Coordinates of all heavy atoms in Angstrom, one line a residue:
P294 N -28.3 -2.1 -4.4 CA -27.8 -2.0 -3.1 C -26.3 -1.7 -3.0 O -25.8 -1.4 -1.9 CB -28.1 -3.3 -2.4 CG -28.0 -4.3 -3.6 CD -28.6 -3.5 -4.7
G295 N -25.7 -1.7 -4.1 CA -24.2 -1.4 -4.1 C -23.4 -2.7 -4.1 O -23.7 -3.7 -3.5
V296 N -22.2 -2.7 -4.7 CA -21.3 -3.7 -4.6 C -20.3 -3.5 -3.5 O -19.5 -2.5 -3.5 CB -20.6 -3.9 -6.0 CG1 -19.5 -5.0 -5.9 CG2 -21.4 -4.2 -7.1
R297 N -20.3 -4.4 -2.5 CA -19.4 -4.1 -1.4 C -18.0 -4.5 -1.6 O -17.7 -5.7 -2.0 CB -20.0 -4.9 -0.1 CG -19.2 -4.6 1.2 CD -19.8 -5.5 2.3 NE -19.6 -6.8 2.1 CZ -18.4 -7.4 2.4 NH1 -17.4 -6.8 2.9 NH2 -18.3 -8.8 2.2
L298 N -17.1 -3.6 -1.5 CA -15.7 -3.9 -1.7 C -14.9 -3.4 -0.4 O -15.3 -2.4 0.1 CB -15.1 -3.2 -3.0 CG -15.7 -3.7 -4.3 CD1 -15.1 -2.8 -5.4 CD2 -15.4 -5.1 -4.6
D299 N -13.8 -4.2 -0.1 CA -13.1 -3.7 1.0 C -12.3 -2.5 0.5 O -11.9 -2.4 -0.7 CB -12.0 -4.7 1.4 CG -12.7 -5.9 2.0 OD1 -13.8 -5.8 2.5 OD2 -12.0 -7.1 1.9
H300 N -12.1 -1.5 1.5 CA -11.4 -0.3 1.1 C -9.9 -0.4 1.6 O -9.7 -0.5 2.8 CB -12.1 0.9 1.8 CG -11.4 2.3 1.6 ND1 -11.2 2.8 0.4 CD2 -10.7 3.1 2.4 CE1 -10.5 3.9 0.4 NE2 -10.3 4.2 1.7
W301 N -9.0 -0.4 0.7 CA -7.6 -0.5 1.0 C -7.0 0.9 0.9 O -6.5 1.4 -0.1 CB -6.9 -1.4 0.0 CG -7.4 -2.8 0.3 CD1 -8.6 -3.4 0.2 CD2 -6.5 -3.9 0.8 NE1 -8.6 -4.7 0.6 CE2 -7.3 -5.0 1.0 CE3 -5.1 -4.0 1.2 CZ2 -6.8 -6.2 1.5 CZ3 -4.7 -5.2 1.7 CH2 -5.6 -6.3 1.8
D302 N -6.9 1.6 2.2 CA -6.5 3.0 2.2 C -4.9 3.0 2.0 O -4.2 2.4 2.7 CB -6.9 3.5 3.5 CG -6.4 5.0 3.7 OD1 -7.2 5.9 3.1 OD2 -5.4 5.2 4.3
Y303 N -4.5 3.9 1.1 CA -3.1 4.1 0.7 C -2.2 4.4 1.9 O -1.3 3.7 2.2 CB -3.0 5.1 -0.4 CG -1.6 5.5 -0.7 CD1 -0.8 4.8 -1.5 CD2 -1.0 6.7 -0.1 CE1 0.6 5.1 -1.9 CE2 0.3 7.0 -0.4 CZ 1.1 6.2 -1.2 OH 2.4 6.6 -1.5
E304 N -2.6 5.5 2.6 CA -1.8 6.0 3.7 C -1.7 4.9 5.0 O -0.7 4.6 5.5 CB -2.2 7.3 4.3 CG -2.1 8.4 3.2 CD -0.7 8.7 3.0 OE1 0.3 8.3 3.7 OE2 -0.4 9.5 2.0
L305 N -2.8 4.4 5.2 CA -2.9 3.4 6.3 C -2.1 2.1 5.9 O -1.4 1.6 6.8 CB -4.4 2.9 6.6 CG -4.6 1.8 7.6 CD1 -4.0 2.4 9.0 CD2 -6.1 1.5 7.8
L306 N -2.2 1.6 4.7 CA -1.4 0.4 4.3 C 0.0 0.8 4.3 O 0.9 -0.1 4.8 CB -1.9 0.0 2.9 CG -3.2 -0.9 2.9 CD1 -3.7 -1.0 1.5 CD2 -3.0 -2.2 3.7
K307 N 0.4 1.9 3.8 CA 1.9 2.3 3.8 C 2.4 2.3 5.3 O 3.5 1.8 5.5 CB 1.9 3.6 3.2 CG 3.4 4.1 2.9 CD 3.3 5.4 2.0 CE 4.7 5.9 1.6 NZ 4.6 7.1 0.7
R308 N 1.7 3.0 6.2 CA 2.2 3.0 7.6 C 2.3 1.6 8.2 O 3.2 1.3 8.9 CB 1.2 3.9 8.4 CG 1.3 5.3 8.1 CD 0.6 6.1 9.2 NE -0.8 5.8 9.5 CZ -1.9 6.3 8.9 NH1 -1.7 7.3 8.0 NH2 -3.1 5.9 9.3
T309 N 1.2 0.7 7.8 CA 1.3 -0.6 8.4 C 2.5 -1.4 7.9 O 3.1 -2.1 8.6 CB 0.0 -1.3 8.0 OG1 -1.2 -0.6 8.5 CG2 -0.1 -2.7 8.6
A310 N 2.8 -1.3 6.6 CA 3.9 -1.9 6.0 C 5.2 -1.4 6.6 O 6.1 -2.2 6.9 CB 3.9 -1.7 4.4
L311 N 5.3 -0.2 6.8 CA 6.5 0.4 7.5 C 6.7 -0.1 8.9 O 7.9 -0.3 9.4 CB 6.5 1.9 7.5 CG 6.6 2.6 6.1 CD1 6.3 4.1 6.2 CD2 8.0 2.4 5.5
R312 N 5.7 -0.5 9.5 CA 5.8 -0.9 11.0 C 5.8 -2.4 11.0 O 6.6 -2.9 11.9 CB 4.5 -0.4 11.7 CG 4.6 -0.8 13.2 CD 3.3 -0.2 13.9 NE 3.3 -0.6 15.3 CZ 2.3 -0.4 16.2 NH1 1.3 0.3 15.7 NH2 2.4 -0.8 17.4
H313 N 5.0 -3.1 10.2 CA 4.9 -4.6 10.4 C 5.3 -5.4 9.1 O 5.3 -6.6 9.2 CB 3.4 -5.0 10.6 CG 2.9 -4.4 11.9 ND1 3.3 -4.8 13.1 CD2 2.0 -3.3 12.1 CE1 2.7 -4.1 14.1 NE2 1.9 -3.1 13.5
G314 N 5.6 -4.7 8.1 CA 5.9 -5.4 6.8 C 7.1 -5.0 6.2 O 8.1 -4.6 6.7
T315 N 7.1 -5.0 4.8 CA 8.3 -4.5 3.9 C 7.7 -3.5 3.0 O 6.7 -3.6 2.4 CB 8.7 -5.7 3.1 OG1 9.1 -6.9 4.1 CG2 10.0 -5.4 2.5
Y316 N 8.6 -2.5 2.7 CA 8.2 -1.3 1.8 C 9.3 -1.3 0.8 O 10.5 -1.3 1.0 CB 8.3 0.0 2.7 CG 8.1 1.2 1.8 CD1 6.8 1.7 1.6 CD2 9.2 1.8 1.2 CE1 6.7 2.9 0.8 CE2 9.0 2.9 0.5 CZ 7.8 3.4 0.2 OH 7.6 4.6 -0.5
Y317 N 8.8 -1.1 -0.4 CA 9.6 -0.8 -1.7 C 8.9 0.3 -2.4 O 7.8 0.5 -2.4 CB 9.8 -2.0 -2.5 CG 10.5 -3.2 -2.0 CD1 9.7 -4.4 -1.6 CD2 11.9 -3.2 -1.8 CE1 10.4 -5.4 -1.0 CE2 12.5 -4.4 -1.3 CZ 11.7 -5.4 -0.9 OH 12.4 -6.5 -0.3
R318 N 9.8 1.1 -3.1 CA 9.3 2.1 -4.1 C 9.7 1.4 -5.5 O 10.8 1.0 -5.8 CB 9.9 3.4 -4.0 CG 9.4 4.4 -5.0 CD 10.1 5.8 -4.7 NE 11.6 5.7 -4.8 CZ 12.3 5.7 -5.9 NH1 11.7 5.7 -7.0 NH2 13.6 5.7 -5.8
L319 N 8.7 1.5 -6.4 CA 8.9 1.0 -7.8 C 9.3 2.1 -8.7 O 8.8 3.1 -8.7 CB 7.5 0.3 -8.2 CG 7.5 -0.3 -9.6 CD1 8.4 -1.6 -9.6 CD2 6.0 -0.6 -10.0
D320 N 10.4 1.8 -9.5 CA 10.8 2.9 -10.5 C 10.2 2.7 -11.8 O 9.5 1.7 -12.0 CB 12.3 3.0 -10.5 CG 13.0 1.8 -11.0 OD1 12.4 1.1 -11.7 OD2 14.2 1.6 -10.7
R321 N 10.5 3.5 -12.8 CA 9.9 3.5 -14.1 C 10.4 2.3 -14.9 O 9.7 1.9 -15.9 CB 10.4 4.8 -14.8 CG 9.7 6.1 -14.3 CD 8.3 6.2 -14.5 NE 7.7 7.5 -14.1 CZ 6.5 7.7 -14.1 NH1 5.6 6.8 -14.6 NH2 6.0 8.9 -13.7
I322 N 11.5 1.6 -14.6 CA 11.9 0.5 -15.3 C 11.6 -0.8 -14.6 O 12.1 -1.9 -14.9 CB 13.5 0.5 -15.6 CG1 14.3 0.6 -14.3 CG2 13.7 1.8 -16.5 CD1 15.7 0.4 -14.6
G323 N 10.8 -0.7 -13.5 CA 10.3 -1.9 -12.9 C 11.3 -2.5 -11.7 O 11.0 -3.6 -11.3
R324 N 12.2 -1.8 -11.4 CA 13.0 -2.2 -10.2 C 12.4 -1.7 -8.8 O 11.9 -0.6 -8.8 CB 14.5 -1.8 -10.4 CG 15.1 -2.6 -11.5 CD 16.6 -2.4 -11.7 NE 17.2 -3.3 -12.6 CZ 18.1 -4.4 -12.2 NH1 18.3 -4.5 -10.9 NH2 18.6 -5.1 -13.1

């Protein structure tokens, strides 16, 4: 019947964080 998992959409979560949360970009050295 399938394993039910929540779908965490990249674009939607990004927009939500920009409006209601906190946004960071991660660089190659982990900052």
